[in-house]
Amino acid sequence: MVSKDVKADDVVATLGDVCAARGLDALTARLAALQTLLAGDLAEVEAALAVVAKNGGTPAHESARHLLELGGKRLRPICVALASHVGSGFTPAALTFAVAVEMIHNATLLHDDVVDLGDRRRGADTARVVYGNAASIFGGDWLLAEALCRVQAAGVEGVLDRMLVVVREMVTAETLQLAARGRVRTSTSEYFKIVQGKTASLFQWAMFAGGRAGGVGTRECEALESYGGMLGLAFQIVDDVLDFAGDPEATGKDLLTDLREGKMTYPLLLAVERDPGLADELEANCRGDEVSVTPEIARRIGRVMSEGGVVQDCLALATRMCRDAAQSLEILPASQARSALQDVALATPLRRK
Ligand code: FPP
Ligand code: MG
């Protein structure tokens, strides 16, 4: 087991806890069954990631090890595994893709924390704080290159090609996001363009790769991809809500980080829509492309968000997207994997971490 204190299937357990707390007994029970279904697959993923984490002794390798060993939700490997079970099951290629998608996700975070000057992730200091920016960047580069080689070696037609397009999409989205920093008057369409590239595209790939590894047909793979895209968008909306309304103990990240970074996330865009005067105040607090978050502006945003029902509206949109994601799988024959994917989607807007 790689993680020190976070289990790989933690996300399912957490979703289950949240559902139980909300009295969603049927969903809680189904998520528990999902944990059982995936226990063997995820143990294999963890074992393989532990081997990856042992690699090399340079500060770059230490950076990658640092992040991998902190665990995480492993939601992308869960997507690969469930998509593979829509077909013939968790084949060796599916294991490769599940490990690769987690490596790539971690690579993006090692880069992202340098770009965002992030100090805390997964409840710990970021790799860049511990080992420095250069080590974090090269650790990410190494994970990315290693993952691409593994995807290529798996030799499943079309999967590497699609991955290369996704890498390009992620980089393009991040460059757009960087250029948009501190630009208070932006649009929701710009936001969704960025989120599609930086988050949804990798979920889409996870579903596609899992489906292909399990020998799923073209039309079914398209449904899996479409599910991944909608799940990814909803996942990021919830992430952005947690920046304002989350519990740092649960998320492992500091509150209001996106705001400080001058990122106009969906909750903030809705707050500005509810109270256009807020845009002027945010602009007045911009220092370069960052926002200086005074207690006054934090209180003001909190007030607009609570009076305007912003968190509820964001979560309502995420819920609609997740319902659409679940619905998109209806063209697949009924199976335990299909139901499990639908349950993951229904539980995603409820996540706390
Ligand atoms: C976290 O977003 C970051 C991403 C979802 C993607 C980051 C992608 C890159 C840096 C470019 C591609 C890099 C590689 C290695 C292919 P966030 O900052 O909104 O979330 P956070 O709160 O978790 O930091
Ligand atoms: Mg970040």
Side-chain angles (χ1 to χ4, degrees):
M1 171 78 55
V2 156
S3 71
K4 289 176 181 136
D5 50 13
V6 185
K7 293 208 300 290
D9 53 355
D10 210 38
V11 64
V12 183
T14 307
L15 290 172
D17 290 348
V18 174
C19 296
R22 294 190 176 198
L24 301 169
D25 293 342
L27 189 53
T28 314
R30 295 202 305 269
L31 288 168
L34 162 59
Q35 260 181 292
T36 312
L37 172 73
L38 289 186
D41 303 347
L42 292 177
E44 285 186 57
V45 172
E46 285 307 301
L49 289 171
V51 175
V52 172
K54 280 205 183 74
N55 262 280
T58 69
H61 292 102
E62 300 278 3
S63 287
R65 174 165 34 250
H66 174 81
L67 185 58
L68 284 171
E69 289 191 340
L70 286 168
K73 295 180 275 292
R74 311 296 200 223
L75 189 53
R76 294 153 188 86
I78 288 174
C79 284
V80 174
L82 286 175
S84 75
H85 282 290
V86 167
S88 60
F90 199 62
T91 56
L95 172 61
T96 299
F97 298 151
V99 172
V101 80
E102 190 61 21
M103 290 168 75
I104 290 172
H105 170 54
N106 280 267
T108 69
L109 297 181
L110 288 169
H111 285 191
D112 182 72
D113 286 330
V114 173
V115 175
D116 290 350
L117 306 179
D119 292 336
R120 304 283 296 167
R121 180 167 302 278
R122 298 180 178 163
D125 287 343
T126 51
R128 75 169 197 99
V129 168
V130 182
Y131 300 102
N133 285 340
S136 191
I137 292 288
F138 288 133
D141 289 343
W142 173 71
L143 278 179
L144 173 65
E146 182 65 32
L148 291 175
C149 289
R150 287 167 185 237
V151 172
Q152 182 186 41
V156 180
E157 200 193 328
V159 178
L160 177 66
D161 299 2
R162 196 68 70 95
M163 181 77 255
L164 296 176
V165 173
V166 167
V167 170
R168 184 175 63 193
E169 278 175 16
M170 286 193 291
V171 173
T172 304
E174 284 287 312
T175 58
L176 280 177
Q177 180 171 266
L178 184 64
R181 275 195 186 186
R183 211 175 340 111
V184 172
R185 289 163 215 280
T186 178
S187 62
T188 51
S189 69
E190 172 88 355
Y191 168 83
F192 281 111
K193 196 168 156 191
I194 290 169
V195 171
Q196 168 58 39
K198 78 172 193 180
T199 306
S201 63
L202 193 57
F203 276 94
Q204 266 177 304
W205 183 85
M207 296 301 299
F208 170 76
R212 294 283 291 121
V216 174
T218 308
R219 187 163 161 263
E220 286 82 3
C221 264
E222 278 167 15
L224 292 174
E225 266 195 277
S226 155
Y227 166 97
M230 287 185 269
L231 185 76
L233 291 179
F235 182 87
Q236 187 64 48
I237 292 173
V238 177
D239 214 63
D240 294 341
V241 166
L242 292 176
D243 190 60
F244 290 98
D247 170 8
E249 280 288 315
T251 62
K253 298 190 267 193
D254 296 331
L255 281 169
L256 304 186
T257 305
D258 294 335
L259 176 63
R260 284 195 186 88
E261 290 162 2
K263 277 188 204 159
M264 292 302 289
T265 59
Y266 193 62
L268 199 49
L269 286 167
L270 283 196
V272 169
E273 201 178 278
R274 301 285 189 275
D275 184 347
L278 187 56
D280 298 329
E281 287 183 44
L282 285 170
E283 271 175 353
N285 279 269
C286 276
R287 309 277 173 269
D289 58 11
E290 294 188 358
V291 173
S292 153
V293 182
T294 58
E296 294 73 40
I297 193 92
R299 266 197 301 274
R300 171 113 160 80
I301 292 170
R303 206 169 45 242
V304 175
M305 284 192 176
S306 73
E307 285 169 7
V310 165
V311 167
Q312 291 87 329
D313 285 356
C314 289
L315 295 181
L317 177 62
T319 303
R320 282 199 298 281
M321 286 173 165
C322 286
R323 286 201 186 122
D324 289 349
Q327 179 64 35
S328 70
L329 298 184
E330 286 296 321
I331 68 134
L332 304 176
S335 68
Q336 208 183 357
R338 185 185 82 172
S339 305
L341 282 164
Q342 291 174 322
D343 289 337
V344 166
L346 296 182
T348 289
L350 307 173
R351 77 185 178 93
R352 295 279 183 265
K353 60 186 279 188

